Amino acid sequence: MGYKQELKRELSLLQNFGVSFSIISVITGIPSLFLYGLNTGGPAVMVWGWIVVASATMLVGLAMAEVCSAHPTSGGPYFWAAMLSEPKNAPLASWITGWFNLLGQVAVTTGISFACANFVSTVSTFGTNFMPTPNTTIGIYAAILICQGLINTFGVHLLKYLNNVSVWWHAVGTSSLVIAILARAPKHQSTQFVFRTFIDGTGVNGSDGWGTRASHAYVCIIGMLMAQYTLTGFDASAHMTEETHNAAMAGSIGIVMAIGVSAVLGWFLILGLLFSIQDLNATLASPTGEPVAQIFLDTVGERGAIVLMVIVIGAMFFCGTFSITSNSRMMFAFARDGGIPGHSFFKVVDTKRASPVRTVWLACTLSFLLALPSLGSAVAFSAATSIATIGLYISYAIPIALRVVYRKRFVRGPFHLGVFSMPIAIAAVLWIGCIAIVFLLPQANPVDSQTLNYAVVAVGIVIVYSVGFWLISARTWFTGPVRQISGEETNVAFLACY
């Protein structure tokens, strides 16, 4: 690929898969947006929307895996965009893709670790007089980010072992949780409730929901955010390829496996939670603020609920830790190619730990700043999840679209879709185009300063900054991916990937 081997190449296929699987983390995404899902379409949209989104996401993953196999580097989508463009347009394509990927990476970390902070706040109320406030939740969030940053700084040699623990924690923890609540639930909801009940709770302060103001179809569409946000972040397998053996195959298989396993496990979790709801109204209006916590309390009691909450919080912590790992690798790669302000500072790799420590803390800092609107906005968290979904998926779409447009420039890697390559790539781009618009739309009615979906603001800022800065300055000096080595050195590095 033309880069020096600065990161330790010690991850296996299972560990590469584990990073994406841990970041997708169905036990993080589903519980953190469960209230949103119940209010925005209810059980029917949650169950069937998951199947629709999982199927479409698999198409996106397959298209990405094909490109990843041809270009296995830490830069991921922004590197692919440069390689698949016409040479004269490569710097611009790489620049725009890189900034959208960076936005999505930061927002994903925010959504994951802020959800962890919310659940820590919630479990702290069990059997105590503690009353969480936005200020205390932000404080807990900051502490979680610091812990995750320290692990990625001083424990980088332990990440591959922590990765193995995370995979088993997610798989066994999710299965055990579902079995526990189903087995101990005093009663179970009917199949009619789980598979056919539609709920429009998008109205706030007594206002009509979007189902009345617009249509039920609108509610169904925006209700798929829970599924699409959860099935996000699998580009981590690409960002970890410079640390993975046989990267050209392992990175691609890691992407596809992470989506497939998460899709099955996630549907199992959704069904388990919905069947275990004891009283829908009480669950929606839970004093804990988290419907999932209320389901735990209603089914297994307070002590059992604490155990299940620990399982969820542990998964969220693992998820956030590896999100920072992936995030820091992307930022390091982008800085290495001169794509971010202060790139000379941020492209430095800590020689003792063979890790981009500076971008680890850049990722933590930016993620903390993105969560600050939660101090004054009731829908800030769902907006952050929208930002993550839009930012990442746009960065996925650009190289896939370029692979379609400039198909003759594409040199396949060992993982290839054959005759299905073009149809799958086109379908993936069309799906991403739809969700990029849908998740910018208002999620609560009426729209005011408290309910504004500020995803449109964040995405707008990135578009204005990336395009504006490109026109003003970057077009004169940003050349896209920088080749550090050539000739025989490149052939040696090539063999390490393939």
Side-chain angles (χ1 to χ4, degrees):
M1 299 298 106
Y3 292 116
K4 295 178 182 178
Q5 183 66 43
E6 298 180 272
L7 305 175
K8 288 184 178 179
R9 192 179 293 275
E10 57 183 6
L11 300 182
S12 65
L13 166 59
L14 178 61
Q15 289 161 339
N16 182 283
F17 150 78
V19 174
S20 282
F21 179 63
S22 296
I23 292 175
I24 291 176
S25 183
V26 296
I27 202 173
T28 295
I30 291 171
S32 60
L33 280 179
F34 201 74
L35 178 60
Y36 176 89
L38 284 177
N39 281 320
T40 315
V45 173
M46 296 168 76
V47 170
W48 300 114
W50 182 269
I51 295 176
V52 172
V53 169
S55 300
T57 302
M58 180 57 79
L59 297 180
V60 176
L62 286 168
M64 282 181 61
E66 185 179 57
V67 180
C68 177
S69 183
H71 305 287
T73 69
S74 291
Y78 90 83
F79 183 93
W80 305 340
M83 295 299 102
L84 296 171
S85 299
E86 290 289 347
K88 64 179 181 180
N89 299 323
L92 175 59
S94 180
W95 176 265
I96 299 296
T97 305
W99 276 102
F100 270 109
N101 194 246
L102 190 150
L103 170 69
Q105 290 272 348
V106 170
V108 159
T109 302
T110 301
I112 294 165
S113 295
F114 195 74
C116 186
N118 278 325
F119 272 69
V120 170
S121 294
T122 298
V123 77
S124 298
T125 66
F126 291 5
T128 71
N129 295 321
F130 175 71
M131 292 295 292
T133 66
N135 288 337
T136 58
T137 302
I138 278 287
I140 295 170
Y141 174 58
I144 288 170
L145 283 177
I146 290 171
C147 291
Q148 292 168 338
L150 290 173
I151 290 172
N152 275 282
T153 299
F154 299 105
V156 65
H157 60 290
L158 300 174
L159 285 177
K160 65 178 182 179
Y161 304 110
L162 197 63
N163 189 355
N164 295 337
V165 174
S166 177
V167 170
W168 287 106
W169 186 286
H170 278 83
V172 177
T174 303
S175 301
S176 301
L177 183 155
V178 173
I179 292 170
I181 59 177
L182 286 173
R184 294 290 303 277
K187 64 177 183 178
H188 296 107
Q189 293 290 341
S190 66
T191 54
Q192 170 77 17
F193 171 82
V194 171
F195 292 100
R196 299 187 63 181
T197 300
F198 175 85
I199 299 172
D200 179 13
T202 55
V204 295
N205 300 324
S207 300
D208 291 331
W210 285 113
T212 301
R213 183 176 174 181
S215 71
H216 291 326
Y218 179 86
V219 178
C220 292
I221 291 171
I222 63 173
M224 289 194 293
L225 174 62
M226 184 195 79
Q228 193 66 79
Y229 165 68
T230 301
L231 295 173
T232 299
F234 44 85
D235 59 319
S237 287
H239 296 304
M240 301 304 293
T241 50
E242 288 186 36
E243 298 165 72
T244 303
H245 295 294
N246 190 25
M249 278 299 290
S252 301
I253 296 173
I255 290 171
V256 177
M257 281 180 59
I259 297 171
V261 175
S262 297
V264 174
L265 198 62
W267 205 58
F268 176 57
L269 177 59
I270 291 172
L271 291 177
L273 290 169
L274 290 174
F275 274 114
S276 299
I277 292 175
Q278 300 302 295
D279 184 315
L280 177 61
N281 292 330
T283 301
L284 287 169
S286 173
T288 68
E290 297 288 350
V292 170
Q294 191 62 49
I295 293 172
F296 294 165
L297 289 169
D298 291 342
T299 55
V300 298
E302 187 172 89
R303 291 185 179 180
I306 292 173
V307 174
L308 297 185
M309 287 290 282
V310 168
I311 292 175
V312 173
I313 291 168
M316 289 177 170
F317 187 82
F318 283 130
C319 180
T321 299
F322 287 107
S323 179
I324 290 174
T325 305
S326 173
N327 195 342
S328 63
R329 270 51 175 182
M330 183 272 158
M331 289 181 175
F332 155 72
F334 206 24
R336 179 174 60 184
D337 292 323
I340 62 175
H343 56 85
S344 296
F345 177 80
F346 289 116
K347 72 179 182 180
V348 175
V349 173
D350 186 296
T351 53
K352 180 179 179 180
R353 300 177 180 86
S355 173
V357 172
R358 296 177 182 181
T359 52
V360 165
W361 292 102
L362 176 62
C364 292
T365 302
L366 293 177
S367 296
F368 178 77
L369 294 175
L370 190 59
L372 290 180
S374 67
L375 294 172
S377 172
V379 296
F381 179 75
S382 58
T385 60
S386 292
I387 294 168
T389 306
I390 295 166
L392 284 179
Y393 274 93
I394 288 178
S395 74
Y396 301 167
I398 294 174
I400 296 173
L402 290 171
R403 186 258 180 277
V404 173
V405 174
Y406 300 112
R407 63 191 70 182
K408 292 182 179 180
R409 290 185 53 82
F410 180 69
V411 179
R412 58 177 289 180
F415 182 94
H416 194 261
L417 302 175
V419 295
F420 299 104
S421 178
M422 281 298 107
I424 288 175
I426 293 170
V429 172
L430 291 175
W431 175 256
I432 294 172
C434 291
I435 63 174
I437 296 171
V438 166
F439 298 143
L440 290 175
L441 299 174
Q443 298 165 342
N445 181 54
V447 180
D448 54 32
S449 60
Q450 292 294 307
T451 61
L452 173 70
N453 181 356
Y454 75 93
V456 68
V457 178
V459 173
I461 289 173
V462 168
I463 292 174
V464 171
Y465 170 81
S466 59
V467 175
F469 193 50
W470 174 263
L471 294 174
I472 294 171
S473 175
R475 62 189 177 89
T476 64
W477 51 264
F478 182 74
T479 58
V482 176
R483 182 170 291 275
Q484 296 176 318
I485 58 177
S486 58
E488 294 182 2
E489 290 179 295
T490 303
N491 292 331
V492 172
F494 178 86
L495 292 174
C497 292
Y498 289 87

